[in-house]
Amino acid sequence: MTPDASIVIPVYNEADSLPALHAKLLEVRPALGRACEIIYVDDGSRDGSFERLAAIAGADPLTTVIRLRRNFGQTAAIAAGVAEARGSAIVLLDADLQNDPADIPTLLQKINEGYDVVSGWRRKRRDPFISRRLPSVVANWLISRATGVPLHDYGCTLKAYRSEVVKNIPLYGEMHRLIPVYAAWIGARITEVPVNHHPRAYGQSKYGGWSRTFKVILDLITAMFLGGYGTKPIYLFGSVAAISCSLGVVFGAIVLYEKYALGFWAHRNPLLLLAVFVFLLGVQSLMMGLLAELGVRTYHESQQKPVYFVREVLRGGELGIRN
Ligand code: UDP
Ligand code: MG
């Protein structure tokens, strides 16, 4: 049976919250009104999370556990889960119970209405202000302004995506936060839904607030440069080249005018040097733009390197048959 929706959950040292999390998921699953698989990705946990997950998968035919060989980071874990997901909609959720599984039906409802991305918005966020909420406000503002995709809460993992949209998005670094941006670039319809948020009850957060914001900003620049379907390096370098070469021509013309009309000696005129310099700079920029273009295409078309390596996959259904 092909599931209609897949819930993908990255797990890194969350052993204590897993039983409560799975119980809550089982509570909401009937309310989804359709077959729904749950995919846990154990991102190299060392606290017994995998053993808990194996027990859960052994008791639930619709649960799959993917175990990565080491800790590859939340984005890679999400990528592994998304690659495995078979549902027509994919819901991402944190394993720490800060997100509330009870919000999932609302998100999927919006997907049914025709949206491709439904972004959870932690309206009342239960995290410290200076270290977590403030950097998040800054990051959300920056991303919204830079990309033209205004969302209140890029950082909230709880979001629902139409499967073919999220499966086509490259995921590196901290880029799972930018999935809605990539989705918007390929023409997705996006909406926001306020969701519940709870303080962390078990385990510890894996991130510091400001260092993460810094990484997200760098990822944003990379995304704008490499991922923007409208962005081509040759446009940027080409503009620099055009301005630079034009200046070179203008300066050169002034030098010639000064030589023939006013009798200045060209080789004593500093403007000659400047004219040659900016003209060469322009030619160099153009060449660099072409090289960057070549690099970007190689990057996009030839690189199929996975960002994770799977150790094993446990499918609850198959475990059940063996027992
Ligand atoms: N996570 C992961 N790999 C990592 C770091 C985090 O799979 O290297 C998971 C973690 O288990 C949790 C989710 O990503 O389910 C979000 O992490 P966390 O709750 O620490 O982030 P915060 O809510 O503090 O922003
Ligand atoms: Mg959390």
Side-chain angles (χ1 to χ4, degrees):
M1 182 179 51
T2 309
D4 288 333
S6 305
I7 302 176
V8 171
I9 307 172
V11 177
Y12 181 45
N13 294 342
E14 309 279 6
D16 293 335
S17 62
L18 289 173
L21 172 69
H22 197 72
K24 283 205 172 187
L25 285 169
L26 293 186
E27 257 172 48
V28 297
R29 200 155 61 181
L32 301 178
R34 49 191 198 173
C36 176
E37 64 175 352
I38 303 173
I39 299 173
Y40 292 99
V41 184
D42 173 28
D43 185 16
S45 300
R46 286 177 302 260
D47 68 340
S49 292
F50 178 73
E51 288 66 28
R52 297 257 165 109
L53 291 175
I56 288 171
D60 178 14
L62 286 171
T63 294
T64 298
V65 177
I66 299 175
R67 186 185 198 184
L68 302 188
R69 284 196 175 274
R70 65 165 172 85
N71 178 246
F72 284 93
Q74 189 182 351
T75 300
I78 286 173
V82 165
E84 170 75 18
R86 290 168 303 151
S88 56
I90 296 179
V91 179
L92 300 185
L93 181 73
D94 280 350
D96 56 4
L97 281 172
Q98 289 199 267
N99 296 141
D100 194 341
D103 287 315
I104 295 174
T106 326
L107 299 186
L108 287 178
Q109 176 58 35
K110 287 280 175 193
I111 294 279
N112 283 342
E113 284 173 23
Y115 288 101
D116 299 308
V117 177
V118 186
S119 172
W121 169 19
R122 297 164 293 181
R123 219 175 197 157
K124 295 201 187 76
R125 192 171 160 187
R126 309 298 170 91
D127 278 321
F129 180 74
I130 296 285
S131 64
R132 309 304 298 269
R133 273 158 42 209
L134 185 61
S136 156
V137 167
V138 172
N140 284 315
W141 183 84
L142 271 174
I143 300 171
S144 298
R145 284 301 299 265
T147 61
V149 184
L151 287 182
H152 287 95
D153 200 352
Y154 276 96
C156 179
T157 312
L158 179 55
K159 296 189 196 311
Y161 305 91
R162 195 170 301 284
S163 174
E164 67 262 25
V165 169
V166 68
K167 276 184 185 270
N168 281 315
I169 291 173
L171 290 167
Y172 297 93
E174 298 276 311
M175 279 190 188
H176 68 275
R177 288 158 214 289
L178 299 178
I179 297 174
V181 172
Y182 280 98
W185 282 339
I186 59 176
R189 294 181 63 207
I190 302 179
T191 187
E192 272 186 316
V193 168
V195 294
N196 294 318
H197 192 241
H198 306 287
R200 222 180 209 283
Y202 310 96
Q204 277 166 4
S205 173
K206 313 300 180 302
Y207 301 102
W210 287 100
S211 63
R212 170 161 57 188
T213 304
F214 182 65
K215 286 188 194 163
V216 168
I217 290 170
L218 293 181
D219 279 341
L220 177 65
I221 296 171
T222 316
M224 302 278 293
F225 195 67
L226 291 179
Y229 288 76
T231 328
K232 296 184 73 229
I234 192 72
Y235 293 164
L236 178 68
F237 287 102
S239 312
V240 174
I243 294 170
S244 207
C245 284
S246 311
L247 279 178
V249 170
V250 170
F251 292 165
I254 295 175
V255 171
L256 287 180
Y257 168 78
E258 287 178 343
K259 176 175 163 60
Y260 290 110
L262 309 176
F264 285 15
W265 285 16
H267 70 274
R268 290 196 181 166
N269 191 342
L271 205 56
L272 177 63
L273 207 60
L274 199 63
V276 172
F277 180 73
V278 287
F279 194 82
L280 282 183
L281 190 75
V283 174
Q284 294 279 26
S285 286
L286 192 65
M287 294 301 153
M288 216 140 72
L290 286 172
L291 282 181
E293 193 77 10
L294 193 69
V296 165
R297 283 170 198 219
T298 311
Y299 167 87
H300 276 304
E301 287 163 24
S302 73
Q303 200 195 42
Q304 286 168 358
K305 196 175 114 205
V307 292
Y308 58 85
F309 291 89
V310 173
R311 187 194 294 265
E312 58 190 308
V313 176
L314 297 183
R315 293 194 174 78
E318 291 163 15
L319 293 178
I321 295 164
R322 224 181 293 145
N323 285 344

